[in-house]
Amino acid sequence: HLFLRQLLSAKVIGSIIQELTLCGSADQVPEEHVIECAVELLMSIGHTLESMSAGKIALGQVCGRFKDLKQRVGLDKKPVYGKRIQFAIQDLLEVRAKGWTRKVFSGVAKTKEEIRREQQMDLKAQAMGKDVEVAEKVVAGARPLYIAAKKD
């Protein structure tokens, strides 16, 4: 959040994510919780980080490292990381490939009447040939709108 509010530079964040993923030592493997932290950090700031030249370079190195770590196997021929971490890495790489957009399903409780009305509106929209989105698409790691508005 400090980075998104322009209190930390892209260079500092780049060095942090490179250190978390041990980019400098290809023979070492970071622990699962460290990889999970790095993935969560990039999901929070990825879009903004990639829009800066220093961040784009670091992000390229880290994502290359993630691809390597995801496929890495140990001496016992088993994957180094469990499926949960492998899928977290895969999700990050896919979100980046899609321009940092991801689908978010809102979990707000609705009454039966609200659901019926929403379904009727969706059916009418489909009948008119419009696409009906089930989920909202958000940009992962974008600066908050009130900060982006101040900058312009």
Side-chain angles (χ1 to χ4, degrees), residues 41-91:
L41 176 63
L42 288 175
M43 285 296 230
S44 299
I45 64 170
H47 179 265
T48 305
L49 186 63
E50 192 157 33
S51 68
M52 302 172 173
S53 60
K56 186 174 263 190
I57 293 167
L59 201 53
Q61 291 173 344
V62 169
C63 286
R65 176 76 168 150
F66 275 142
K67 287 177 188 173
D68 172 52
L69 291 173
K70 187 180 85 156
Q71 298 167 350
R72 173 105 28 125
V73 291
L75 298 173
D76 56 356
K77 303 293 183 203
K78 290 184 178 180
V80 175
Y81 296 113
K83 291 290 184 192
R84 188 173 64 83
I85 298 298
Q86 289 178 13
F87 284 124
I89 293 171
Q90 185 63 38
D91 287 344

Side-chain angles (χ1 to χ4, degrees), residues 88-134:
I89 293 171
Q90 185 63 38
D91 287 344
L92 174 73
L93 297 174
E94 287 174 359
V95 166
R96 182 180 184 221
K98 292 179 184 175
W100 296 102
T101 57
R102 61 181 172 174
K103 291 183 177 181
V104 177
F105 298 92
S106 73
V108 178
K110 298 178 184 177
T111 65
K112 288 181 184 179
E113 187 57 35
E114 288 173 329
I115 294 171
R116 270 192 217 102
R117 269 189 262 133
E118 213 172 272
Q119 184 181 24
Q120 288 173 350
M121 288 175 21
D122 289 348
L123 290 173
K124 285 179 186 176
Q126 282 179 339
M128 296 171 65
K130 294 181 182 174
D131 256 353
V132 176
E133 286 291 326
V134 177

